[in-house]
Amino acid sequence: MNEAELTAGQPDQHDITDYNDPDAPWNQAWDGEGGIANWNADVITEFRENSGAVGGAYAGGDLILLTTTGAKSGKRHTTPLGPLYRDDTMYVSSFIEDKYPAWWYNIKANPQVTVELRDKTYQATGAVLEGADYREFAAWVLANNPLMADFQSKVDRPVPLVVLTLDSEC
């Protein structure tokens, strides 16, 4: 499946090229009571009720639900993420400033994941990029994604990059 097929029917969204852009979903005000955990639960519910379409800060954007198995707990964890593409290759990253996200560690420990994309669910394999593979892919990402390049310029660690391969539809 190529990028055009994956994004077909999705309206254009505001191009965010600066990590500090106030319109970026990660810079939206929190309610002070639920934080990101409750926000994720609401997004997951809305995603599943509307075949992948969500409103609010992510309206019109392409989202996936990535379900991983906890590296330590063994429990299943679902996280909404915005997929990125290099030709036909789907990849994900994170804008967490002080550490890599839990899903990154989970995929490193157990690469078998589930990806929900619009109204379809796939068994998939996640590959945490490292070494020469990481350097080559990161060079391309940073040259072609101004938002990732801006974020990388603000953090001391390499941005996490995980390639997702959709294996079979469930």
Side-chain angles (χ1 to χ4, degrees):
M1 186 176 310
N2 64 34
E3 181 176 4
E5 292 171 316
L6 291 170
T7 59
Q10 295 290 324
D12 291 335
Q13 66 183 36
H14 166 74
D15 285 334
I16 298 170
T17 58
D18 179 5
Y19 174 70
N20 294 317
D21 185 327
D23 291 331
W26 52 88
N27 290 328
Q28 299 299 306
W30 300 102
D31 64 10
E33 293 182 15
I36 197 164
N38 284 345
W39 173 83
N40 278 347
D42 290 344
V43 171
I44 291 166
T45 298
E46 185 177 7
F47 181 102
R48 289 178 173 156
E49 288 175 352
N50 297 294
S51 298
V54 296
Y58 290 106
D62 203 16
L63 279 184
I64 62 169
L65 297 183
L66 175 68
T67 302
T68 60
T69 302
K72 294 180 183 177
S73 70
K75 294 180 182 176
R76 303 284 284 164
H77 300 279
T78 301
T79 306
L81 294 170
L84 302 164
Y85 299 92
R86 179 181 184 183
D87 299 323
D88 291 340
T89 301
M90 179 190 294
Y91 67 99
V92 290
S93 190
S94 174
F95 292 118
I96 297 175
E97 293 181 20
D98 58 345
K99 60 185 176 183
Y100 284 165
W103 55 260
W104 184 88
Y105 290 102
N106 294 347
I107 290 172
K108 197 169 167 103
N110 182 353
Q112 300 310 305
V113 299
T114 302
V115 172
E116 294 173 62
L117 176 64
R118 294 185 194 85
D119 61 348
K120 297 190 181 337
T121 301
Y122 299 89
Q123 293 303 313
T125 304
V128 171
L129 298 182
E130 298 179 291
D133 290 335
Y134 177 89
R135 288 188 295 278
E136 186 278 326
F137 204 90
W140 181 90
V141 167
L142 297 177
N144 290 280
N145 186 322
L147 183 57
M148 292 298 293
D150 181 62
F151 177 71
Q152 181 64 86
S153 74
K154 293 174 170 59
V155 296
D156 293 331
R157 60 174 174 73
V159 294
L161 293 173
V162 173
V163 169
L164 297 172
T165 303
L166 304 181
D167 298 326
S168 61
E169 190 174 340
C170 299

